[in-house]
């Protein structure tokens, strides 16, 4: 299934990042999540909707309540994608270190 929203726009919001961190510890209902924020349950539900559309969270009906879980498969996909940039930046910082060392050695 293709995501309907951009994952990185979704996780750009600090409240949604906080929700992700809370769900990393375990499944929670919207009411339980809302207790951690100075916002309404409806506002938290909107954030959960956006995270669901990105497939970052998964809904599970348990009786009359809906529990939200972190979708670890999706999070691993995001991590794998970001890892490419982490390696690229590490190489560039290594190159910068080399340039700075050369500049320092040439001044002597």
């Amino acid at each position: 299934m293709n995501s309907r929203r951009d994952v990185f726009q979704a996780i750009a919001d600090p409240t949604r990042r906080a929700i992700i961190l809370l769900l990393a510890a375990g499944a929670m209902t919207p009411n339980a999540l809302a207790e951690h924020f100075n916002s309404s349950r409806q506002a938290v539900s909107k954030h959960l909707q956006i995270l669901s559309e990105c497939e970052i969270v998964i809904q599970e009906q348990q009786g009359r309540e809906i529990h939200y879980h972190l979708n670890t498969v999706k999070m691993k996909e995001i991590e794998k994608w970001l890892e490419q940039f982490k390696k690229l930046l590490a190489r560039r910082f290594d190159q910068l270190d080399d340039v700075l060392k050369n500049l320092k050695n040439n001044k002597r």
Side-chain angles (χ1 to χ4, degrees):
M1 177 197 302
N2 290 334
S3 299
R4 297 188 307 181
R5 287 188 184 261
D6 180 69
V7 169
F8 294 101
Q9 284 181 339
I11 62 177
D13 184 274
T15 301
R16 289 192 282 273
R17 288 194 307 268
I19 290 170
I20 291 169
L21 287 173
L22 288 167
L23 293 177
M28 298 178 81
T29 64
N31 285 335
L33 285 164
E35 291 175 6
H36 293 273
F37 302 97
N38 291 328
S39 57
S40 67
R41 184 208 178 281
Q42 291 78 14
V44 170
S45 290
K46 180 65 177 169
H47 287 298
L48 287 167
Q49 177 188 358
I50 291 168
L51 292 171
S52 292
E53 289 174 1
C54 295
E55 301 171 352
I56 293 174
V57 299
I58 301 168
Q59 298 178 25
E60 181 184 340
Q61 188 79 32
Q62 293 181 358
R64 292 176 35 185
E65 293 185 328
I66 297 174
H67 290 257
Y68 286 85
H69 303 267
L70 193 60
N71 182 351
T72 55
V73 173
K74 187 66 168 186
M75 294 303 292
K76 287 190 184 296
E77 288 176 18
I78 295 167
E79 179 185 22
K80 184 178 175 182
W81 190 85
L82 287 172
E83 189 64 31
Q84 300 170 65
F85 293 98
K86 185 177 173 184
K87 289 176 183 176
L88 175 67
L89 288 174
R91 282 195 303 269
R92 289 195 176 176
F93 280 122
D94 289 343
Q95 290 172 346
L96 179 59
D97 284 342
D98 292 342
V99 168
L100 292 174
K101 284 178 189 174
N102 286 337
L103 287 173
K104 186 177 180 181
N105 290 336
N106 288 339
K107 284 188 176 183
R108 291 184 181 172

